[in-house]
Amino acid sequence: MPEGKSKKMSWGRLPFGAQRVVELSSRFQALPALDSMLPYGNGRSYGDVCLNDSGSLLAARRLDRFIAFDPASGVIDCEAGVLFSEIIDLVLPSGWFLPVTPGTCLVTVGGAIANDVHGKNHHRLGSMGHHVSELELLRSDGQVLLCGPQLNREWFAATVGGMGLTGLIRRAKIQLRRVPGPWVRGDNLRFSSLDEFFALSRESDRDYEYTVAWIDCAAAAARRGRGILTRGNHAPANIRPPRPSALCMPFIPPVSLVNSLSVRAFNQLYFHRPASQTPDALWHYRPFFYPLDGIGDWNRMYGPRGFFQYQCVVPPGDAGPALNEMLARIGRSGMGSFLAVLKTFGDRPSPGMMSFPRPGATLALDFPNRGAPTLSLLESLDQITRSAGGAVYPAKDARMSAASFQQYFPEWRRFGEFVDPRFSSSFWRRVTKDTT
Ligand SMILES: Cc1cc2nc3c(=O)[nH]c(=O)nc-3n(C[C@H](O)[C@H](O)[C@H](O)COP(=O)(O)OP(=O)(O)OC[C@H]3O[C@@H](n4cnc5c(N)ncnc54)[C@H](O)[C@@H]3O)c2cc1C
């Protein structure tokens, strides 16, 4: 089992400590006899949920074999290191697609299950765990547990959204969904306030499988809450797919390129560009689902200090005032970036005891790391999330307090009973500090 001190990072590129990396190459190999291990997928989590400061990472990306795919039923069985992009390449020609996908296809199956990821169709199809019919979990004592919605159900509920802490997911079976081809048809529609967003979103969720909005977090108070809602459905079309983009962020700039001036200027242009109001648009699935994957290493634009992402969900009753207050605070702070996403979750209960999705509106924003002022702004957003009875997404987090986490995820103590005694993460130690 090759080992080394390679520098594994998470997507936010924040300066975390080092960890030993153990490269896994076969799903049949035993786990190493180490005291503190954590599976690592493709590092697309933003903070420390995929890191294990001073411990070891079990790099699972090379567990990348397809085991079976039935083009009649759309069930795929594969190892946990397979990327979503690799699944799409295999199954789309037979008319199948992922039932749920996050905003990047460069995630592994294991990582997507461990964070119970959601996509633009949460209001229709829920989260990733709803489509996993079986998974195989390897514990540090060598025990292998076959889990599913009807099999070892408690272990399944702990492992879906379990942040890699219950053991190593070796393989999983996923039920794919039928599509007529690689195209999505729908609209881009401008809205000028949060009230308008909620009305448009309600109406769109009825007729469209995918709905998501970009929001202008730098708008002046009079225009606060304006943005662009995108909605779409899979659709047939007989057009040649575009070539994948070869754009790449070639270097890490010495300072963040994201500042109040650049954000304000970009947002103004983005909101007013003609494509922001396009009824009946046709997209290839790649730019529709994965616009940022077209720019390699875009996370470098935040410079050497990296960035934080903040993603919260606020229950429906309080969503309007809570989000309005968050946008006001972000606007006053002069922080925040062009990457600001707003969506409403549906009310299908999540399958994992630690899953993040729950009914309400979810807002996700990037913030360049400017040290104390950024941390203090994020804590003040947490105050709003806490008072509204919402939650913050661990996959995106690098700083929430233990008290916040324990309020957001009240089942955390019960979940602790399923954590493998030899597994841990920087995130888990931080959010259970002084309490375990
Ligand atoms: C541009 C971008 C857009 C995104 N959009 C969304 C979105 O729309 N919705 C959403 O939900 N998320 C989104 N994310 C977050 C991303 O989907 C999750 O963080 C995902 O879990 C990352 O998968 P990964 O394979 O990179 O896993 P990692 O980030 O490496 O690990 C994630 C977690 O999975 C665990 N893990 C990894 N492999 C295994 C395994 N084999 N067995 C057990 N545990 C394992 C790790 O321990 C860790 O806790 C986005 C991220 C980016 C960069």
Side-chain angles (χ1 to χ4, degrees):
M1 215 174 293
E3 285 184 21
K5 269 235 162 184
S6 106
K7 270 209 130 197
K8 290 278 186 213
M9 293 186 101
S10 57
W11 194 244
R13 301 183 61 85
L14 291 161
F16 287 110
Q19 48 238 306
R20 182 193 347 206
V21 178
V22 180
E23 292 284 349
L24 305 179
S25 55
S26 159
R27 73 176 186 279
F28 300 110
Q29 74 194 87
L31 293 180
L34 295 165
D35 281 341
S36 175
M37 300 178 260
L38 183 74
Y40 184 90
N42 205 30
R44 257 49 186 188
S45 299
Y46 283 72
D48 52 358
V49 80
C50 62
L51 299 177
N52 191 15
D53 193 2
S54 307
S56 300
L57 291 178
L58 304 172
R61 170 70 186 105
R62 287 202 215 151
L63 306 183
D64 59 355
R65 291 158 194 87
F66 288 107
I67 298 164
F69 168 51
D70 177 1
S73 66
V75 174
I76 191 161
D77 188 351
C78 65
E79 291 185 344
V82 170
L83 292 178
F84 274 22
S85 58
E86 294 166 339
I87 296 185
I88 297 171
D89 287 348
L90 178 79
V91 305
L92 189 53
S94 321
W96 295 97
F97 199 73
L98 291 158
V100 165
T101 178
T104 170
C105 57
L106 303 175
V107 298
T108 62
V109 166
I113 296 173
N115 275 327
D116 193 17
V117 299
H118 58 272
K120 298 175 176 57
N121 61 353
H122 183 272
H123 58 286
R124 288 276 174 91
L125 294 189
S127 56
M128 185 64 201
H130 287 116
H131 308 279
V132 176
S133 52
E134 186 181 293
L135 63 83
E136 211 175 79
L137 186 69
L138 175 62
R139 302 272 293 173
S140 63
D141 60 4
Q143 200 188 1
V144 177
L145 293 167
L146 202 57
C147 317
Q150 312 300 338
L151 188 68
N152 283 318
R153 279 153 58 167
E154 289 243 288
W155 283 100
F156 184 72
T159 300
V160 169
M163 301 169 285
L165 294 162
T166 62
L168 176 78
I169 301 168
R170 302 204 301 190
R171 49 160 278 267
K173 270 190 194 172
I174 301 164
Q175 173 64 61
L176 302 167
R177 47 91 33 85
R178 274 248 175 244
V179 290
W183 301 96
V184 177
R185 188 179 284 283
D187 316 303
N188 274 336
L189 302 170
R190 286 195 195 106
F191 55 87
S192 56
S193 66
L194 284 175
D195 285 346
E196 239 183 76
F197 161 78
F198 284 114
L200 200 50
S201 190
R202 254 193 314 276
E203 173 206 315
S204 305
D205 283 356
R206 275 198 301 269
D207 299 330
Y208 292 86
E209 171 162 352
Y210 301 105
T211 58
V212 71
W214 167 83
I215 190 150
D216 181 355
C217 68
R223 298 192 200 96
R224 187 179 308 134
R226 74 176 182 179
I228 303 159
L229 181 124
T230 302
R231 59 190 191 184
N233 286 321
H234 291 282
N238 221 348
I239 310 168
R240 192 197 286 253
R243 282 203 205 167
S245 153
L247 287 179
C248 188
M249 185 73 194
F251 62 94
I252 304 169
V255 291
S256 169
L257 301 179
V258 182
N259 55 51
S260 55
L261 277 179
S262 63
V263 172
R264 203 171 281 252
F266 173 90
N267 285 9
Q268 183 73 4
L269 285 171
Y270 191 75
F271 183 78
H272 289 291
R273 83 202 154 119
S276 301
Q277 182 71 27
T278 332
D280 202 20
L282 186 67
W283 294 274
H284 188 256
Y285 79 87
R286 267 195 307 257
F288 182 81
F289 291 112
Y290 314 119
L292 291 169
D293 287 350
I295 310 168
D297 293 330
W298 60 264
N299 54 346
R300 291 176 167 190
M301 75 181 166
Y302 291 94
R305 298 179 75 183
F307 67 105
F308 292 92
Q309 171 147 129
Y310 188 81
Q311 181 169 359
C312 63
V313 55
V314 196
D318 286 322
L323 295 181
N324 194 40
E325 180 56 25
M326 284 189 197
L327 290 174
R329 288 190 193 183
I330 294 164
R332 282 198 297 275
S333 75
M335 290 189 248
S337 85
F338 1 91
L339 301 169
V341 175
L342 182 59
K343 150 135 202 87
T344 48
F345 281 147
D347 47 18
R348 191 168 175 184
S350 287
M353 57 180 87
M354 301 298 281
S355 294
F356 165 71
R358 54 201 81 185
T362 180
L363 175 69
L365 286 132
D366 289 349
F367 295 91
N369 175 18
R370 299 205 190 121
T374 315
L375 290 170
S376 134
L377 171 67
L378 296 176
E379 178 50 34
S380 91
L381 301 183
D382 257 3
Q383 281 164 11
I384 302 172
T385 305
R386 277 198 304 268
S387 339
V392 166
Y393 191 9
K396 309 287 182 80
D397 179 70
R399 35 62 52 193
M400 76 169 100
S401 68
S404 293
F405 171 79
Q406 291 166 21
Q407 178 183 323
Y408 300 150
F409 296 90
E411 295 230 61
W412 72 276
R413 271 191 200 280
R414 184 162 83 90
F415 168 72
E417 293 167 18
F418 295 87
V419 171
D420 189 296
R422 293 198 157 177
F423 277 45
S424 186
S425 68
S426 303
F427 175 85
W428 184 242
R429 287 189 292 278
R430 174 162 59 79
V431 299
T432 55
K433 204 167 47 185
D434 305 329
T435 40
T436 50

